[in-house]
Amino acid sequence: MRPTLPLTLLALSLAACAHVPPGASAPAGKPLTTQEVIDASTPQDWRQLDPDDTLYLQLPEGMVVIELAPAFAPEHASNIRSLVQGRYFDGLSINRSQDNFVVQWGDPAGDELALRRPLGEARSTLPAEFSRPADGLDFRALPDRDGWAPQVGFVDGFAAARDPAAGKAWLTHCYGTVGAGRAMAPDSSNGSELYVVTGQSPRQLDLNITTVGRVVVGMEHLSTLVRGKGPLGFYTDPARRTQILAVRMASEIPEAQRANIEVMRTDTATWDAYVESRRNRRDEWYVHPAGHVDVCNLSVPVRAVPTVPAA
Amino acid sequence: MRPTLPLTLLALSLAACAHVPPGASAPAGKPLTTQEVIDASTPQDWRQLDPDDTLYLQLPEGMVVIELAPAFAPEHASNIRSLVQGRYFDGLSINRSQDNFVVQWGDPAGDELALRRPLGEARSTLPAEFSRPADGLDFRALPDRDGWAPQVGFVDGFAAARDPAAGKAWLTHCYGTVGAGRAMAPDSSNGSELYVVTGQSPRQLDLNITTVGRVVVGMEHLSTLVRGKGPLGFYTDPARRTQILAVRMASEIPEAQRANIEVMRTDTATWDAYVESRRNRRDEWYVHPAGHVDVCNLSVPVRAVPTVPAA
């Protein structure tokens, strides 16, 4: 049974976006706290999500908003759109939750191929998209060295890495990164099995699997799911699975019903100031500014679209 | 009301310890997978927890085993023992769960000092123990560079950092690290408010707060707690708090009822091989060994004490 769409965005909690403490305006000449950076931002420092690259994953617990990364995984992004438009995911389930690692959803039939739901118009195999050419990306590098990759930074809101010598770039596995599950063969993913990172950044997966996007809002609905007791965190008791009520592209939803959010741009001076405020915390509580930040410790700020006062 | 002790260790789930896939024995001459390293370990590669440094935190969801780190926070460890022995925590609650950050427990009265439970024999203020002299520690350094500290490695099972120039060492904030909450003053913690890291390693807290130990088993009972909707993840609805049934030192429990576990030693050749198996994954699934591992990506293996066959 595939339920009809209950996409009431009232359920969309922005509480998880508040990664920053309440703050006051900055004393002149002092380095800014994160809150001060956000308070000083202008409308041009924020962007809305492209509805053709935005998924709404509706769970009984609430809504998860996912941004696809077609610049890094064009074939997978396209196939996921086909799956969503074919209502492939509706009524399937979250089948795996492994503590400090990932949550994964798709067809609970798993390896029982004969029992799996048909993919409809979507393709069953795709090329591996573990990396892409570094050229042509607006890569905003972080000032600090990374242990896993020659360079790390952000590309259009996505945590990413780059190897100038090899001319390659890829998305890094951070909290909230979404990838396409695969079997042994590198080209065995098609986007019908998706996982999201819920634990310490498993960067060892970088360049080993196709990353397709990131969770923008609603991580708490995935990160709190009871852990599965089977190998790799699969649920041994089918009753523990969480049903997927529906998945929709934002472009399929009337504009007035879409998630009313903006995300901070990662190619601005405000972003650089935000990064610096995370490298060296200036909030009163801190006695030791670290002088460093890991690419996976930077959450891109999200906010409700501000209401414009009448002129 | 302080409930009596329901420390049936039957509830102790070791499922979360299985961070490694099932494996086979290694072909001769090939680098070992993690499972092969564990399979080849000897009894001398494992140790039992010191019952004087082991806490059992009993929640309705199950048991959490915490190892204290008196080598890094002797005053806090001593005070926490006093609090536990005075039954301070029994009947208090988990009051905060902030997504991708921490869970915190203690007296729900919070800042309402007049309402807080008396500390009994324990001290109300302690010196800050943000670091300690590097001398006198068996520091097993990792081969890879860290961004946050000059050196990282392990000390007796604890993820740690070291600054040789400053002659200091400290515990790093990784998934499962336990610390003592404080207010603005660095010396305002006393161990009656404890937090555990449930998200991406918040290393910016290093050297800013006293770390007192680590969760050895049972993280999933903390990491899955519903997130609080108030600032910093505090529960606004008291009904959302999780009651602490009891906290006991292992030394207070009859030996036969203690957690029947061992943890891998971090000062052996087996440990070094384990680290290498995480730096470069040799499992068949991986196509790109990373050649790197972060200190917070290394979970110290835990196992049930093997049963000894009769002679």
Side-chain angles (χ1 to χ4, degrees), chain B residues 138-150:
Chain B
D138 182 14
F139 191 97
R140 193 83 159 194
L142 293 180
D144 298 313
R145 188 175 176 279
D146 181 72
W148 303 84

Side-chain angles (χ1 to χ4, degrees), chain A residues 99-100 145 147-148 175 182-183 200-201 204 208 223-224 227 281 285-288 292 294 296-297, chain B residues 99-100 145 147-148 175 182-183 200-201 204 207-208 223-224 227 281 285-288 292 294 296-297:
Chain A
D99 195 57
N100 194 20
R145 188 176 176 279
W148 303 84
Y175 188 80
R182 70 162 172 93
Q200 173 69 18
S201 49
Q204 72 279 0
N208 279 291
S223 59
T224 57
R227 295 351 185 189
R281 304 291 180 112
W285 185 87
Y286 284 85
V287 298
H288 172 80
H292 180 84
D294 187 278
C296 290
N297 283 95
Chain B
D99 195 58
N100 194 22
R145 188 175 176 279
W148 303 84
Y175 188 79
R182 70 164 171 92
Q200 173 70 17
S201 50
Q204 73 278 2
L207 296 171
N208 279 292
S223 59
T224 57
R227 298 345 187 192
R281 304 289 180 112
W285 184 88
Y286 284 86
V287 297
H288 172 80
H292 179 85
D294 187 279
C296 290
N297 284 95

Side-chain angles (χ1 to χ4, degrees), chain A residues 277-290:
Chain A
S277 77
R278 305 313 272 174
R279 296 181 70 241
N280 288 299
R281 304 291 180 112
R282 301 302 184 179
D283 315 88
E284 190 187 350
W285 185 87
Y286 284 85
V287 298
H288 172 80

Side-chain angles (χ1 to χ4, degrees), chain A residues 88-157:
Chain A
Y88 174 79
F89 292 104
D90 297 13
L92 294 182
S93 52
I94 297 176
N95 305 311
R96 174 188 186 191
S97 176
Q98 183 171 2
D99 195 57
N100 194 20
F101 194 37
V102 297
V103 155
Q104 184 175 326
W105 63 91
D107 193 327
D111 295 333
E112 305 230 41
L113 300 183
L115 300 179
R116 286 183 69 91
R117 181 176 287 191
L119 298 178
E121 303 291 313
R123 295 160 64 191
S124 59
T125 60
L126 300 173
E129 298 180 293
F130 298 174
S131 66
R132 57 151 284 162
D135 284 349
L137 290 176
D138 182 16
F139 191 97
R140 193 83 159 193
L142 293 180
D144 299 313
R145 188 176 176 279
D146 180 71
W148 303 84
Q151 289 182 346
V152 288
F154 281 77
V155 176
D156 299 335

